[in-house]
Amino acid sequence: PLPASSQAIESFALMVKQTAQMLQAFGTELAETELPNDVQSTSLVLSAHTEKKAKVKEDLQLALKEGNSILESLREPLAESAAHSVNQDQLDNQATVQRLLAQLNETEAAFDEFWAKHQQKLEQCLQLRHFEQGFREVKTTLDSMSQKIAAFTDVGNSLAHVQHLLKDLTAFEEKSSVAVDKARALSLEGQQLIENRHYAVDSIHPKCEELQHLCDHFASEVTRRRGLLSKSLELHSLLETSMKWSDEGIFLLASQPVDKCQSQDGAEAAL
């Protein structure tokens, strides 16, 4: 490398100052960013900030490369003149560049720490928006399912009808199991966010409890409905047995010849 001139050092000092100002301005921009309220907006902000951060880091690496290049060009003539006289100006220039590089490294370290926190906050915000979106969708489905099960008030008017209603209930429960499983999985996802010390614990926790309550309520409504239909099935089964017994009795009575009952012996035989 060519020996560093005072102009090159001054230019590097200006570059360090501008880089620090750029990082400070970007840091302020990040700090003042309001967290978006939906998945798409949060994804866009995270993507835009990550892209801009990469550009900032690129500029920072260029500044560090420039400083190290100047430092190398200062060290070479000092090494060559070690056996002779040492130029104080060269030593001062080297100390200046080393100080500027140290300042640049400190600035980078502080920015990296700030970025890590900002990135984590945005990623947690994205997790929260996904959770909230899933919660709204699942809650709407579970509310609709509960309304449908509550509307199933028919207990059947025959054994065959009750059997048909029980079959419909089983089919409805199987169809609804997808939404119930999704709700329980979402609740577990929320619990995981809480365990990972998410910043919105106070918002996530009650939603997890509500999801559990909705699932338990739906399951109890299905159980209650099945219990009613089972009782109805038992009742209609007994009624059919009674009707069959009654019909057999009527047939038995109707099949007795009336003329045989005219005598005591005939009546006793018929009885």
Side-chain angles (χ1 to χ4, degrees):
L2 295 170
S5 64
S6 297
Q7 187 178 356
I9 296 169
E10 286 175 13
S11 177
F12 176 58
L14 180 61
M15 183 184 286
V16 170
K17 183 181 178 182
Q18 289 173 339
T19 302
Q21 288 173 341
M22 174 187 64
L23 288 174
Q24 187 176 10
F26 184 43
T28 302
E29 180 188 336
L30 297 183
E32 291 177 352
T33 300
E34 290 186 14
L35 295 176
N37 291 319
D38 61 274
V39 171
Q40 187 179 4
S41 299
T42 308
S43 296
L44 288 172
V45 169
L46 180 58
S47 178
H49 283 188
T50 303
E51 190 177 328
K52 194 166 184 179
K53 176 252 181 184
K55 179 66 173 68
V56 165
K57 286 285 285 184
E58 190 180 315
D59 291 345
L60 189 60
Q61 290 304 315
L62 285 173
L64 284 167
K65 186 178 179 182
E66 176 70 16
N68 283 313
S69 177
I70 293 172
L71 187 60
E72 191 180 342
S73 70
L74 284 167
R75 280 174 175 166
E76 192 169 301
L78 282 174
E80 290 172 357
S81 63
H84 310 290
S85 60
V86 176
N87 187 316
Q88 188 59 42
D89 286 343
Q90 288 177 318
L91 287 173
D92 290 344
N93 286 342
Q94 182 176 324
T96 298
V97 174
Q98 285 174 326
R99 179 177 53 79
L100 288 168
L101 278 170
Q103 182 184 331
L104 209 51
N105 281 315
E106 286 173 12
T107 303
E108 182 182 24
F111 175 75
D112 285 347
E113 185 180 345
F114 177 80
W115 168 257
K117 290 177 182 177
H118 178 76
Q119 184 182 32
Q120 182 187 42
K121 193 170 185 179
L122 277 180
E123 285 174 348
Q124 285 192 347
C125 178
L126 187 58
Q127 290 170 341
L128 177 64
R129 300 308 175 221
H130 275 296
F131 176 76
E132 289 173 337
Q133 182 174 299
F135 173 79
R136 286 192 296 270
E137 291 170 358
V138 165
K139 186 179 184 308
T140 299
T141 305
L142 288 175
D143 284 343
S144 174
M145 283 159 41
S146 292
Q147 286 172 4
K148 285 179 182 177
I149 200 76
F152 290 164
T153 55
D154 194 352
V155 291
N157 52 27
S158 68
L159 185 64
H161 188 199
V162 178
Q163 288 172 334
H164 180 71
L165 289 173
L166 276 166
K167 189 177 179 182
D168 283 349
L169 179 65
T170 300
F172 177 71
E173 187 179 17
E174 288 175 357
K175 186 179 178 182
S176 303
S177 65
V178 175
V180 173
D181 289 346
K182 188 176 179 181
R184 294 200 185 279
L186 190 63
S187 179
L188 286 174
E189 189 180 308
Q191 291 295 339
Q192 191 66 49
L193 291 177
I194 292 169
E195 288 173 18
N196 291 337
R197 298 183 179 181
H198 194 285
Y199 70 81
V201 168
D202 292 342
S203 171
I204 297 168
H205 184 66
K207 288 182 175 64
C208 289
E209 289 191 331
E210 187 172 354
L211 286 171
Q212 290 292 343
H213 170 73
L214 287 169
C215 290
D216 293 344
H217 175 71
F218 177 72
S220 68
E221 282 297 298
V222 170
T223 302
R224 184 186 66 81
R225 173 71 180 154
R226 182 170 280 109
L228 285 172
L229 287 175
S230 295
K231 286 179 181 178
S232 178
L233 187 71
E234 184 182 1
L235 176 62
H236 282 290
S237 180
L238 290 170
L239 284 171
E240 283 208 1
T241 302
S242 300
M243 290 293 289
K244 185 180 179 182
W245 175 82
S246 177
D247 289 344
E248 287 175 352
I250 291 170
F251 176 77
L252 182 63
L253 290 173
S255 65
Q256 297 302 314
V258 177
D259 56 345
K260 283 187 178 181
C261 297
Q262 299 303 316
S263 65
Q264 185 175 337
D265 290 344
E268 284 179 355
L271 184 58

